[in-house]
Amino acid sequence: MKIIQVKDYEEMSKKAAAVLAAKVVSDPECVLGLATGSTPEGAYRFLVEWYEKGLLDFSGITTMNLDEYKGISKENEQSYYYFMKKHLFSKVNIKENQTCIPDGEEEDGEKVCREYEELIQSVHGVDLQLLGIGRNGHIGFNEPCGEFMKRCHCVTLTESTIEANKRFFESEDQVPRQAYTMGIGTIMSADRILLLASGEEKAEALYQAVCGPITPNVPASILQLHDQVTIIADEAAMSKMNYQS
Ligand code: F6R
């Protein structure tokens, strides 16, 4: 694991965008695995800025998002579909049919997950996977549990995740209770992984993921077994690690 410590969210975002941009430039037909949430928003902002300056071309890029809430329409502002459109897809020249997100409107979870997994295989997997980390150590929506779920699956969100994500909704009741997510095996199949962490509320999860035992109770800890992981984390997210070392 390569860990890059930066000062704050802004520096994390710029460095993450630089890693993604370098991939887009050097491999213009690559497959990017993308994340949603507060963490990658800043990186997407930089990518849009550099695209507007003529520095990036997304026309050959394919994207595979990590996850989507179940039972949410694409028009819902809280859907990850909407998020990606708002923050990236509508602002760069990526082809819409090359942007892939699990279908949150489809009730048949088995179908969604099987088809999404097949879609990822059909593009020969993800070249560079961007990840955030949940306060409970989740990656994608792989919540702490008794086993590492290998492939795309439907997950019941934990109270901790519902609590963390309610800030995006009008009330806690509106947070969907289930989601479709790439599995741990799907994520680990990516050639390279870039994990971002910002803020003190991520410090314990990051510490456990990097320094703790590899356990499905901290899903991100599996990344210790991937040999191409880069972590970009700000001082606050690194505080536990710096304190311990
Ligand atoms: C989102 C995702 C989640 C988030 C995590 C952190 O697509 O897969 O694992 O990365 O919940 O969320 P934020 O960035 O909002 O703190």
Side-chain angles (χ1 to χ4, degrees):
M1 271 184 181
K2 181 172 182 188
I3 303 182
I4 301 170
Q5 180 174 319
V6 294
K7 190 167 178 301
D8 54 19
Y9 180 83
E10 201 59 12
E11 202 184 333
M12 176 197 77
S13 301
K14 198 170 195 174
K15 280 213 160 47
V19 173
L20 292 162
K23 186 67 189 166
V24 170
V25 170
S26 65
D27 189 358
E29 293 187 355
C30 71
V31 179
L32 296 179
L34 298 180
T36 55
S38 309
T39 308
E41 257 189 60
Y44 296 153
R45 181 167 33 84
F46 279 110
L47 289 179
V48 170
E49 196 182 307
W50 298 339
Y51 166 75
E52 285 169 351
K53 286 185 178 155
L55 299 172
L56 294 173
D57 175 11
F58 290 87
S59 59
I61 300 297
T62 298
T63 61
M64 292 283 161
N65 263 78
L66 278 166
D67 43 18
E68 176 61 284
Y69 290 116
K70 181 180 177 186
I72 201 163
S73 76
K74 293 187 172 66
E75 293 74 40
N76 188 315
E77 293 186 16
Q78 307 314 331
S79 74
Y80 288 172
Y81 178 90
Y82 193 97
F83 175 101
M84 290 309 303
K85 274 221 138 165
K86 179 174 169 194
H87 293 285
L88 188 66
F89 297 159
S90 67
K91 296 181 170 165
V92 299
N93 66 335
I94 195 158
K95 295 191 179 102
E96 191 169 355
N97 63 358
Q98 287 175 202
T99 63
C100 311
I101 302 181
D103 183 1
E105 294 179 34
E106 172 61 63
E107 274 299 307
D108 183 347
E110 209 180 296
K111 178 173 184 281
V112 175
C113 297
R114 189 186 59 247
E115 288 180 356
Y116 202 60
E117 198 67 50
E118 284 168 4
L119 197 59
I120 296 169
Q121 304 307 325
S122 75
V123 295
H124 308 295
V126 169
D127 296 307
L128 174 59
Q129 177 67 56
L130 181 63
L131 295 177
I133 183 169
R135 296 174 198 182
N136 61 5
H138 74 212
I139 46 176
F141 268 136
N142 291 276
E143 298 283 42
C145 68
E147 61 178 318
F148 288 116
M149 298 294 285
K150 285 201 189 71
R151 295 295 158 197
C152 295
H153 59 285
C154 179
V155 66
T156 298
L157 303 182
T158 60
E159 279 311 312
S160 147
T161 298
I162 293 166
E163 168 68 25
N165 288 5
K166 73 177 185 198
R167 68 191 193 279
F168 298 115
F169 293 81
E170 270 173 30
S171 72
E172 190 175 322
D173 291 354
Q174 292 186 4
V175 186
R177 272 23 190 188
Q178 288 191 306
Y180 298 129
T181 181
M182 280 188 195
I184 289 291
T186 327
I187 293 171
M188 290 292 280
S189 301
D191 286 352
R192 277 175 69 198
I193 293 177
L194 175 63
L195 181 134
L196 309 181
S198 171
E200 210 182 328
E201 70 274 14
K202 301 294 173 69
E204 179 64 24
L206 188 62
Y207 173 69
Q208 292 300 335
V210 174
C211 306
I214 298 167
T215 163
N217 289 323
V218 183
S221 63
I222 195 77
L223 299 176
Q224 294 176 37
L225 297 180
H226 196 293
D227 60 8
Q228 290 294 329
V229 175
T230 301
I231 296 175
I232 305 178
D234 66 13
E235 284 169 8
M238 289 287 287
S239 57
K240 188 90 203 247
M241 233 144 17
N242 292 339
Y243 174 75
Q244 300 284 338
S245 60

